[in-house]
Amino acid sequence: MEPLQTTIKTLINTPIQIKSKSQAKQIHAQIIKTLPTFTSNLLSIYSKLNLLQESITLFNTLHSPSIHNWKSIIKCYTSNAYFLESLNCFVKMRAMGIYPDHNVFPSVLKSCTQLMFFKFGESVHGSVIRVGLEFDVFTGNALLSMYSKSLRFSAHQVFDESPERKTVVQNGQNERVLKHDNNTNNNFKSYNEVSYNCRNPSTLNQMSNQDQGNVQMQNVRKVFETMPERDVVSYNTLILGYAQNSMYDEAMMTIREMGDAKLKPDAFTLSNVLPIVAEYMDVWKGKEIHGYGIRHGFERNGFIASGLIDVYANCKMVEDSYRLFCSLPEKDCVSWCSMIAACVQNGLFDEGLRLFRQMLRANIKPVPISFSSVIPACAHLTTLPLGQQLHGYIIRHRFDDNVFISSSLVNMYAKCGNIKLAKCVFNRMKQRDLVSWTAMIMGCASHGYAHDAIVLFKQMEMEDLRPNSVAFVAVLTACSHAGMVNDGLTFFNQMVKHYKITPEFEHYACMADLLGRAGKLDDAFGLICSMPENKTGSVWLPLLAACRVHKNVELAEKVVEQINEFDSDNVGAYVLLSNIYFSVGRYKDAANVRRMLSKNMNKKEPACSWIRIGEKVHAFIAGDESHPNYDCIINALDILFGHIEKEYLITCE
DNA sequence: TTAGGGTTAG
């Protein structure tokens, strides 16, 4: 044999030496010239190098691909996120009577998981059992991952009937081969329980999301326990399942079990568990993981870093988030977005926007998620011009189809006072979710369009969207602003009785405000007293304000007593009480309250308000006379108050 | 074969 041919054969047998596309192509050329029968061996090299186009071209030249060729092309499709093509190949391979081996199933199962083709995945599972690969650790891990994700996407029945899935099925002439026989294998029995629970909508509908998650994970756990061999990936997959179903104790327990099995947590383990640590605001556990990460050389891992940024931010330790962020030698889009979100969620809106500008200057291209934190920052700061600039960027980069972005734009325009643009964005949305509707309802409510808000709420219900507690806050706010007592009571009862939503602080506050404004002071008092907990000052203050309007001193005193019980430092309550005494001519009592306030209470932090005129923001603090146009402003206010008083007297007549 | 960030609250 020629020396060149020998070299090529050696290279093909030890493909690990071929590390680049150009090397692979050179060998390909030599094979075509000197060893054409070896062409198919090259496919595994292209596949290992993840060269999809080259793999497809070569695969298409093969007349009767071997199991190795099928394995290579399926793996290459899956690793390049061509999941549908991967499944199509699998079905074609089965139709040709070729049995898959342990290298094929993990890729196929991953494709099923990514496409949410869970029914199809179950049939692949049947195939796994038929070829006796149920104890293969890679295949077992892929099954664990698929089953633990199948509940999170419980709409899988819809996806399984999608046109893409039908194409996969039609391409396979012999799909029935994939169907499993669930009576043949004890090990399969526990897998089958998982599938049963995933598919039984009548059982699932009666359970809360958390309960569904618990049941699902109990079954995934059973699958895990039947695996004869488990590696770090098996544990990581189980931990991720627990984390995604908010099962904190179980996730932590599984990490301990990993130690018992002499397996060390790796970067995946840490980053899988961090979201749940953030959710539970367990700063000590976060610090423990941070320390472990540093000790084991994971401090530059972007996944762990963004998880830790979230943990610190959720624990209101945004400075620690920032320190960690700054220590990252390479910051990707996710680390920037995590840090921006950390600022915005902690009320540091200007800082969030500053970081966003810095991110653009660092040539990090924003993705749709990047805007989900900066638009709310504009909304909170009511900076319409900046919000509009961002909107322009979003349109130019065609991100305006994203439901998160559009919902926050609706909210931003409404908060910045432009309800017309808010409606325009809302009406142009191709898809709307509960948050989009709620943002629009709240926008209408805060602009005084109570009727529109109620119509939207009912339209939303007609679109089969189940309102949550925030949506009820929005519609109750609308009723409250428009003095629609009966509608408000109807919505409140509907929320409790029909939707089984337990009223929260905000609902009670809305209802107390609504009843108080309508003069139903005793009803409002009774409602707040019926609150099971959290009867802090701010839920009582609207009622106290109503007592002032309706000059009910007796009830105001009772309300202040109640506030004293839960929130004895509430300066606002005493200021209001003093004003009530003043308004009914009890000047001595008013003066006593004021005196008591100045003696015993800490000074209230002065409130700040601001207005943007053109490019300039004018800020005002209570008692501050420093504005250059102070006198003009006071004169204008006097004129306005005069008009209000006149209108009020006409209404009373 | 396993992993990240987001929208609505008088």
Side-chain angles (χ1 to χ4, degrees):
Chain A
M1 191 183 283
E2 295 284 323
L4 180 64
Q5 287 174 333
T6 318
T7 314
I8 291 168
K9 277 189 180 173
T10 314
L11 277 170
I12 286 174
N13 288 330
T14 51
I16 197 146
Q17 294 178 51
I18 304 161
K19 289 192 170 120
S20 70
K21 183 177 171 179
S22 64
Q23 282 175 339
K25 288 206 149 191
Q26 276 177 35
I27 292 167
H28 193 174
Q30 289 297 338
I31 285 175
I32 292 170
K33 277 198 277 185
T34 57
L35 286 166
T37 48
F38 277 72
T39 310
S40 75
N41 298 44
L42 200 71
L43 186 60
S44 69
I45 295 167
Y46 279 142
S47 170
K48 277 195 184 102
L49 291 169
N50 227 1
L51 300 169
L52 180 64
Q53 205 44 57
E54 285 74 10
S55 300
I56 296 171
T57 313
L58 183 55
F59 184 82
N60 288 340
T61 64
L62 306 175
H63 296 296
S64 51
S66 67
I67 169 68
H68 301 293
N69 300 143
W70 283 107
K71 179 181 78 184
S72 298
I73 194 73
I74 289 172
K75 188 177 174 290
C76 201
Y77 271 131
T78 305
S79 5
N80 282 281
Y82 283 76
F83 304 115
L84 202 58
E85 288 76 5
S86 157
L87 292 188
N88 269 323
C89 273
F90 175 69
V91 173
K92 277 183 200 160
M93 180 186 86
R94 295 294 295 117
M96 289 171 79
I98 296 174
Y99 275 88
D101 68 5
H102 67 282
N103 287 310
V104 173
F105 284 118
S107 295
V108 172
L109 288 165
K110 182 182 177 174
S111 297
C112 293
T113 309
Q114 293 291 328
L115 291 165
M116 294 178 272
F117 287 180
F118 296 117
K119 275 188 197 167
F120 191 76
E122 282 174 35
S123 67
V124 173
H125 184 189
S127 202
V128 167
I129 292 159
R130 290 168 77 89
V131 296
L133 280 168
E134 67 269 37
F135 298 129
D136 172 64
V137 66
F138 277 47
T139 308
N141 289 343
L143 283 166
L144 269 184
S145 176
M146 184 182 79
Y147 284 128
S148 67
K149 286 189 174 72
S150 62
L151 185 93
R152 281 202 299 144
F153 304 101
S154 56
H156 66 270
Q157 288 95 338
V158 179
F159 286 100
D160 274 353
E161 297 312 320
S162 68
E164 288 87 351
R165 195 254 173 189
K166 280 180 184 146
T167 316
V168 172
V169 173
Q170 278 157 13
N171 284 343
Q173 294 156 10
N174 196 14
E175 204 222 359
R176 207 176 297 168
V177 175
L178 299 171
K179 299 286 178 200
H180 52 242
D181 174 5
N182 53 12
N183 296 319
T184 55
N185 189 302
N186 273 342
N187 188 42
F188 179 62
K189 226 173 168 184
S190 61
Y191 286 125
N192 198 36
E193 282 172 36
V194 179
S195 355
Y196 169 77
N197 275 309
C198 296
R199 281 182 299 163
N200 192 334
S202 61
T203 318
L204 290 178
N205 284 344
Q206 290 160 14
M207 291 194 272
S208 70
N209 283 344
Q210 184 62 58
D211 289 343
Q212 287 177 35
N214 289 350
V215 170
Q216 177 75 359
M217 285 313 298
Q218 278 168 21
N219 288 313
V220 174
R221 173 85 206 188
K222 281 182 198 161
V223 177
F224 175 81
E225 280 170 5
T226 57
M227 289 171 71
E229 188 194 341
R230 299 166 205 145
D231 62 4
V232 178
V233 178
S234 328
Y235 281 90
N236 286 345
T237 310
L238 187 65
I239 291 163
L240 181 67
Y242 283 135
Q244 285 172 338
N245 288 291
S246 297
M247 295 167 77
Y248 188 43
D249 294 336
E250 290 82 353
M252 291 303 172
M253 195 185 73
T254 312
I255 296 182
R256 278 194 290 276
E257 282 175 33
M258 266 180 99
D260 297 341
K262 306 274 179 272
L263 292 168
K264 266 171 58 180
D266 65 1
F268 279 78
T269 323
L270 306 190
S271 70
N272 284 352
V273 84
L274 281 171
I276 197 167
V277 174
E279 192 185 323
Y280 280 75
M281 294 186 278
D282 187 343
V283 68
W284 291 112
K285 190 54 77 184
K287 287 190 169 197
E288 195 184 318
I289 293 172
H290 194 170
Y292 183 96
I294 292 170
R295 286 196 303 279
H296 291 80
F298 300 143
E299 68 263 48
R300 291 185 178 188
N301 182 299
F303 285 82
I304 298 177
S306 57
L308 282 168
I309 288 171
D310 269 4
V311 171
Y312 290 130
N314 275 15
C315 299
K316 317 246 175 272
M317 294 163 67
V318 70
E319 282 181 7
D320 292 73
S321 300
Y322 192 62
R323 208 171 302 132
L324 177 64
F325 172 74
C326 292
S327 75
L328 284 175
E330 275 177 38
K331 302 171 181 71
D332 65 5
C333 187
V334 179
S335 3
W336 279 99
C337 293
S338 303
M339 193 57 235
I340 293 168
C343 289
V344 175
Q345 281 158 11
N346 281 281
L348 303 170
F349 307 118
D350 282 320
E351 189 60 20
L353 292 172
R354 190 184 67 78
L355 281 170
F356 183 71
R357 283 190 207 101
Q358 223 176 307
M359 181 185 99
L360 295 181
R361 274 200 298 272
N363 277 332
I364 304 285
K365 276 199 176 157
V367 291
I369 289 181
S370 318
F371 293 93
S372 298
S373 294
V374 282
I375 301 167
C378 292
H380 282 285
L381 293 169
T382 59
T383 51
L384 184 61
L386 185 57
Q388 283 181 308
Q389 276 178 36
L390 287 170
H391 193 181
Y393 190 102
I394 286 160
I395 294 170
R396 284 196 301 277
H397 290 80
R398 301 191 176 166
F399 293 152
D400 44 340
D401 273 349
N402 183 293
V403 72
F404 280 70
I405 289 184
S406 299
S407 304
S408 50
L409 282 172
V410 169
N411 178 54
M412 185 273 293
Y413 280 123
K415 287 257 167 63
C416 292
N418 198 327
I419 192 72
K420 265 190 187 169
L421 279 176
K423 280 184 180 171
C424 184
V425 173
F426 180 78
N427 290 335
R428 284 185 181 180
M429 285 175 78
K430 287 179 191 144
Q431 275 185 324
R432 301 182 189 110
D433 66 4
L434 180 61
V435 176
S436 344
W437 284 92
T438 306
M440 193 65 251
I441 294 166
M442 188 61 87
C444 289
S446 56
H447 281 259
Y449 299 113
H451 178 71
D452 289 359
I454 291 169
V455 169
L456 282 167
F457 186 88
K458 290 183 175 165
Q459 266 178 5
M460 178 183 79
E461 281 181 304
M462 281 195 298
E463 298 214 351
D464 280 338
L465 279 169
R466 191 184 167 87
N468 64 2
S469 84
V470 187
F472 273 103
V473 170
V475 77
L476 290 175
T477 304
C479 297
S480 160
H481 283 189
M484 299 161 81
V485 181
N486 290 336
D487 291 277
L489 285 168
T490 309
F491 281 120
F492 189 80
N493 288 331
Q494 187 193 13
M495 175 179 85
V496 178
K497 289 182 185 150
H498 182 67
Y499 289 109
K500 314 271 183 230
I501 296 171
T502 310
E504 294 163 28
F505 176 88
E506 286 83 1
H507 305 109
Y508 283 108
C510 274
M511 288 309 292
D513 190 29
L514 172 64
L515 293 167
R517 280 170 198 247
K520 295 178 179 289
L521 302 181
D522 291 329
D523 289 348
F525 187 82
L527 182 81
I528 301 174
C529 288
S530 74
M531 277 175 76
E533 55 184 7
N534 205 12
K535 285 179 248 186
T536 50
S538 42
V539 76
W540 290 103
L541 287 181
L543 176 57
L544 204 53
C547 289
R548 184 189 174 192
V549 172
H550 296 278
K551 299 197 191 313
N552 189 333
V553 183
E554 204 184 318
L555 188 66
E557 285 169 339
K558 265 169 78 179
V559 168
V560 172
E561 258 174 50
Q562 290 290 326
I563 293 177
N564 229 341
E565 202 174 307
F566 296 98
D567 188 5
S568 58
D569 250 5
N570 196 309
V571 180
Y574 287 97
V575 172
L576 265 170
L577 183 65
S578 148
N579 290 346
I580 293 168
Y581 282 139
F582 198 87
S583 68
V584 292
R586 286 170 61 174
Y587 305 118
K588 222 174 172 182
D589 291 325
N592 283 339
V593 173
R594 287 280 175 171
R595 209 169 300 129
M596 192 269 291
L597 260 177
S598 57
K599 258 190 188 171
N600 301 333
M601 296 278 182
N602 293 326
K603 263 221 147 166
K604 202 182 158 198
E605 202 181 314
C608 176
S609 57
W610 63 92
I611 185 168
R612 175 187 290 270
I613 300 170
E615 286 304 302
K616 198 165 163 38
V617 176
H618 302 259
F620 302 89
I621 296 170
D624 172 14
E625 298 179 9
S626 64
H627 194 277
N629 301 112
Y630 179 78
D631 292 335
C632 281
I633 295 166
I634 292 297
N635 282 341
L637 273 175
D638 281 343
I639 295 167
L640 276 172
F641 279 127
H643 281 301
I644 291 168
E645 209 167 324
K646 224 161 136 188
E647 292 272 330
Y648 178 70
L649 288 173
I650 293 167
T651 318
C652 289
E653 279 166 11

